[in-house]
Amino acid sequence: MTPINAYAAQSATTPLTPFNFERRDVGANDVQIEILYCGVCHSDIHQVRNEWGGSIYPMVPGHEIVGRITKIGSDVKDFTIGELAGVGCFVDSCRECPSCLAHEEQYCDNGMVGTYNGRDKEGNPTYGGYSTQIVVDAKYTLHVADSLPIEGVAPLLCAGITTYSPLRHWNIGKGHKVAVVGLGGLGHMAVKFAAAFGADVTVLSTSKSKEQDALNLGAHHFAVTKDADTMKKLQGKFDFILSTISASHEYNDYLNLLTLNGTMVVVGVPPQPSVVGAFNLIGKRRSIAGSLIGGIKETQEMLDYCAEHNIVSDVEVIKVSSINEAYERMLKGDVHYRFVIDIASLK
């Protein structure tokens, strides 16, 4: 066992504070990673504060992890000591169900094992990346190119794959008119990918102040959703809408913006269910769907694509001691566009 320094939540109502625990020894199929950077995801807040229910305490959040391999197991062939590596939202799955066999482990029929706030096959709680080190099965570890700034790579392990996967699944590219709802951690990556794939991209936001940022990120158009006349003009204009916001909002307002056979995919998780009017779907044979991160194979594909096309997240690097302040700033939308913890500040 290896002693680890970390930050953890002890309950749903207390701030994150320093925490010490032990990682397992490296097994034959494991890699040990010295964590260098860990992104801060909005879902960290949801789970720390038990907003989704079932939270396990103490909780060490963090599932956007990039670091350097310091030890490998005897049966590991695909990784080497000293190599950069990444860990995303899950660290295991059943490996036998149809979803796992199709390289869609995130949809494991028996439940994937979360990088944190989960339980491993021995029933032990999993602890995430707000820590100095992690031990992971090599099958759930990702190769990270050394050509990109790794602090900007870390959020790709969640925000990146969460937006890359649906755009690829629905084959978005040249000739498609795409709207991205929201310009936060997820939204800014959706804009980068959709533009890189050749789509005509519009950002839909409640905040006029984000227009220049949207255009700088690669969007071709920007619309303020609070403007009723603008929303009316956009009805029936988009082939595909990616809804990235986690605040409560009216799905029906966006469904009406879809053209015939258009699809809106939800990747943000609002706190309350949204009522969807049947006529907003059947009138133009529209669809509403959801998407959850991506499997290991697709996540590696995404990382390779980003390395080839020089795509990273826009980040603000913080010390771990600033994490509670960062949570409050995230809730106010005061981040451009992802906080990333410099784990050296934990040592």
Side-chain angles (χ1 to χ4, degrees), residues 111-124:
M112 64 178 179
V113 177
T115 302
Y116 73 90
N117 197 32
R119 292 195 182 275
D120 63 23
K121 291 177 179 178
E122 285 72 45
N124 301 311

Side-chain angles (χ1 to χ4, degrees), residues 20 54 125 162 167 172 254 310 327:
N20 298 312
T162 293
L167 290 167
I172 298 304
Y254 299 100
N310 197 33
Y327 277 14

Side-chain angles (χ1 to χ4, degrees), residues 3-136:
I4 301 295
N5 296 331
Y7 256 58
Q10 299 294 332
S11 75
T13 57
T14 53
L16 278 74
T17 54
F19 175 67
N20 298 312
F21 68 99
E22 292 185 329
R23 294 282 189 195
R24 71 175 187 264
D25 293 330
V26 176
N29 297 301
D30 292 335
V31 298
Q32 183 183 72
I33 300 171
E34 178 188 5
I35 301 174
L36 301 175
Y37 293 96
C38 182
V40 181
C41 179
H42 201 107
S43 63
D44 296 350
I45 300 177
H46 288 307
Q47 294 183 83
V48 161
R49 300 185 177 181
N50 199 27
E51 293 172 351
W52 294 342
S55 290
I56 303 166
Y57 301 98
M59 184 191 300
V60 178
H63 58 209
E64 298 179 340
I65 299 167
V66 173
R68 198 168 293 280
I69 294 175
T70 53
K71 189 179 293 186
I72 61 174
S74 58
D75 293 341
V76 174
K77 307 300 182 188
D78 295 334
F79 292 90
T80 59
I81 292 174
E83 178 183 352
L84 287 173
V87 180
C89 297
F90 58 94
V91 291
D92 206 351
S93 62
C94 82
R95 313 181 189 206
E96 299 175 346
C97 71
S99 295
C100 285
L101 295 176
H103 304 290
E104 300 277 13
E105 300 95 340
Q106 76 276 28
Y107 301 121
C108 176
D109 294 352
N110 296 295
M112 64 178 179
V113 177
T115 302
Y116 73 90
N117 197 32
R119 292 195 182 275
D120 63 23
K121 291 177 179 178
E122 285 72 45
N124 301 311
T126 55
Y127 294 132
Y130 297 10
S131 61
T132 50
Q133 188 189 98
I134 191 167
V135 177
V136 186

Side-chain angles (χ1 to χ4, degrees), residues 1 12 16 50 56 97 132 141 187-188 192 202 262 271 286 296 299-300 322 332:
M1 303 292 281
L16 278 74
N50 199 27
I56 303 166
C97 71
T132 50
T141 306
H188 93 288
K192 290 188 178 192
T202 299
R286 301 174 174 123
I296 296 298
T299 304
Q300 188 63 64
S322 301
K332 296 174 183 176

